[in-house]
Amino acid sequence: GGGNAFCVLVQSSNTLPPGVEESCLSWIEQFRKELENMSEERIAMEAQAVRANILEKDIKLAEEISSVWGEILATVPHTDHYKNPVFDRLERFADVLTLDDNKIDNESSIRSAADLKKRVLDFYDKYFLPSSPERRIVSSRVYNRKAKDKFDENVGKPGFISCYDDARKLKQHLSSFPTAPYW
């Protein structure tokens, strides 16, 4: 039970998708600088806010059922290793965000705000920065009618999904694709 994705969704009525994507990539690098300049205490405070939000109990029965079914349905497209729902995933994640000087020292222990900040930056560098070899990205570009000629330039090119049948073929084989950079 781990995270699957981080999504940046941006729309523009006057900028073509490659320009929007370039802006998103610039923002990702800019946000790295903001994280680096953020104080350790602020990062710890944000982590505790996320922890409190995660541990908030479901109030209505429908919310609880939705949470449980969400865990079950999240296992459907995965291999056998991930097919068993992890019903305590959120509690385990909240434990990781808990700062405690008295924790038994192991790989997942975060003992201080400085340690938390370092781990956040390391994670960000490994999985989000465009220069990272571990980073994986899927970019979905939707063109408006005014940019139809730009869309038509990419129809049929490898790596471009231009019609419903292409999307269906991709979804059919998505769970069997190896993790590899898109370039």
Side-chain angles (χ1 to χ4, degrees), residues 106-153:
N106 63 37
E107 188 179 321
S108 64
S109 290
I110 299 176
R111 299 178 66 117
S112 67
D115 186 27
L116 174 63
K117 181 175 181 177
K118 181 186 179 325
R119 301 238 344 234
V120 166
L121 291 173
D122 289 347
F123 184 86
Y124 198 87
D125 292 346
K126 183 175 182 178
Y127 295 109
F128 293 125
L129 286 183
S131 59
S132 172
E134 296 289 323
R135 179 174 171 253
R136 304 294 179 258
I137 183 172
V138 173
S139 175
S140 175
R141 299 175 177 183
V142 178
Y143 290 83
N144 63 22
R145 292 242 179 243
K146 290 188 277 185
K148 184 172 178 3
D149 57 331
K150 297 287 185 188
F151 171 80
D152 289 339
E153 289 175 11

Side-chain angles (χ1 to χ4, degrees), residues 5-179:
F6 172 74
C7 178
V8 177
L9 179 63
V10 180
Q11 296 177 329
S12 174
S13 60
N14 58 3
T15 304
L16 291 175
V20 172
E21 187 171 329
E22 191 173 308
S23 295
C24 289
L25 294 175
S26 296
W27 173 79
I28 287 172
E29 291 188 6
Q30 167 66 35
F31 188 67
R32 167 59 168 86
K33 292 173 186 165
E34 289 178 32
L35 282 173
E36 191 171 11
N37 293 332
M38 197 178 289
S39 71
E40 296 165 356
E41 293 76 25
R42 168 97 188 274
I43 288 180
M45 184 179 70
E46 295 292 340
Q48 291 309 307
V50 169
R51 183 180 186 282
N53 193 9
I54 287 171
L55 293 177
E56 192 172 289
K57 296 292 181 198
D58 295 321
I59 297 173
K60 298 179 181 176
L61 181 60
E63 292 172 346
E64 187 174 352
I65 290 170
S66 177
S67 297
V68 173
W69 272 108
E71 292 296 334
I72 293 169
L73 292 175
T75 65
V76 171
H78 297 298
T79 59
D80 289 340
H81 176 70
Y82 295 107
K83 283 224 184 249
N84 296 326
V86 183
F87 293 108
D88 66 340
R89 178 180 57 86
L90 294 177
E91 289 79 6
R92 288 168 45 191
F93 181 56
D95 286 345
V96 170
L97 293 174
T98 303
L99 301 180
D100 187 2
D101 292 333
N102 300 322
K103 276 188 182 176
I104 298 172
D105 199 273
N106 63 37
E107 188 179 321
S108 64
S109 290
I110 299 176
R111 299 178 66 117
S112 67
D115 186 27
L116 174 63
K117 181 175 181 177
K118 181 186 179 325
R119 301 238 344 234
V120 166
L121 291 173
D122 289 347
F123 184 86
Y124 198 87
D125 292 346
K126 183 175 182 178
Y127 295 109
F128 293 125
L129 286 183
S131 59
S132 172
E134 296 289 323
R135 179 174 171 253
R136 304 294 179 258
I137 183 172
V138 173
S139 175
S140 175
R141 299 175 177 183
V142 178
Y143 290 83
N144 63 22
R145 292 242 179 243
K146 290 188 277 185
K148 184 172 178 3
D149 57 331
K150 297 287 185 188
F151 171 80
D152 289 339
E153 289 175 11
N154 295 316
V155 172
K157 287 185 180 177
F160 289 87
I161 297 173
S162 308
C163 64
Y164 177 72
D165 284 340
D166 290 347
R168 237 181 57 230
K169 287 176 189 172
L170 176 68
K171 280 184 83 172
Q172 179 182 5
H173 300 287
L174 200 56
S175 63
S176 62
F177 276 94
T179 55

